[in-house]
Amino acid sequence: MIPRHQRILFWILLVSSVVMSVILIRLRERAHDRLLDASQTMPLNPPSHAAAQDVTLMIANDANGSLTSFHEKIALPGDENARAHVVLQRLISIYAQPGSAHPIAANSGVHEIFFLPLPPAVNTVVPGEMAVVNLSGSFAAEHPSGIEPETLTLLSILGTLHANFPDITQVRFLVDGQPRETLAGHADLSRVYLAADSPDVKHL
């Protein structure tokens, strides 16, 4: 038979282990949250030796529901995924500026973007690519709610990707790495968008 003091010691050690496990899990979650916050507040800068390249940004305007192409020179990294990330972060930074025609809160944007090859369609020689855009949770949480502003944001991202990366034929959106039904309660994020859905639109 196990002595009483050993049973008490066993239960003390067991409870201590559970408590320490919970504390470690919480510390890890907080560290992860701090890293995410830092990634949103710190600018994504390409290497200093990167050459400036012409990019096209499709800028949304809430006043008339339009998209207008804006051309700019931006220093871009060599990796295609990183280039797309820089371009989209630049697009969103314009919306965060005072007096923006399509205001979105600062310190929010895109965590990452990556391209996936698609199987070739019938009667096509070169297969297209799918762009998976992983938006930050704060971007979705702080985005103005409404079908028009949300749709304009998606069309703006689609148009910008299509203008600068013509191999992209489809775009899928995630939020913090997870599927989400809507951007801010209206625009559908559960579907796969076609790059062709990003015309040089003048009105929704």
Side-chain angles (χ1 to χ4, degrees):
M1 182 174 180
I2 302 175
R4 184 170 181 271
H5 72 275
Q6 289 186 353
R7 291 201 305 270
I8 293 174
L9 180 61
F10 169 80
W11 284 109
I12 290 174
L13 291 174
L14 180 61
V15 172
S16 300
S17 298
V18 172
V19 171
M20 287 300 298
S21 298
V22 171
I23 292 174
L24 288 174
I25 290 172
R26 290 299 302 152
L27 288 175
R28 185 180 65 179
E29 290 175 348
R30 289 177 182 176
H32 179 67
D33 291 339
R34 284 197 296 269
L35 287 173
L36 288 180
D37 290 340
S39 69
Q40 294 170 23
T41 56
M42 293 175 59
L44 182 67
N45 294 320
S48 57
H49 62 273
Q53 301 179 37
D54 290 319
V55 299
T56 300
L57 306 175
M58 298 302 296
I59 306 297
N61 188 322
D62 290 346
N64 56 16
S66 67
L67 293 176
T68 303
S69 59
F70 176 75
H71 301 281
E72 187 174 63
K73 283 187 175 293
I74 301 177
L76 297 176
D79 179 74
E80 188 177 43
N81 294 354
R83 288 203 307 273
H85 193 182
V86 170
V87 170
L88 289 188
Q89 287 291 73
R90 174 54 184 156
L91 174 70
I92 293 171
S93 73
I94 291 176
Y95 294 143
Q97 294 175 0
S100 168
H102 182 66
I104 296 175
N107 299 327
S108 61
V110 179
H111 281 326
E112 60 187 343
I113 176 171
F114 51 94
F115 299 158
L116 300 174
L118 294 172
V122 178
N123 298 325
T124 60
V125 177
V126 180
E129 292 180 316
M130 172 185 283
V132 179
V133 181
N134 184 22
L135 303 171
S136 70
S138 61
F139 180 88
E142 299 172 17
H143 194 285
S145 181
I147 185 61
E148 184 165 310
E150 293 176 45
T151 302
L152 276 174
T153 293
L154 297 186
L155 287 177
S156 175
I157 292 174
L158 288 170
T160 298
L161 288 174
H162 184 58
N164 297 282
F165 304 93
D167 288 342
I168 293 176
T169 57
Q170 298 181 16
V171 179
R172 177 70 189 270
F173 292 95
L174 302 175
V175 177
D176 284 343
Q178 300 296 324
R180 185 182 172 108
E181 289 187 3
T182 66
L183 177 55
H186 298 83
D188 187 6
L189 292 188
S190 64
R191 56 169 285 201
V192 173
Y193 284 85
L194 300 179
D197 291 341
S198 59
D200 197 3
V201 195
K202 289 305 175 185
H203 292 280
L204 294 176

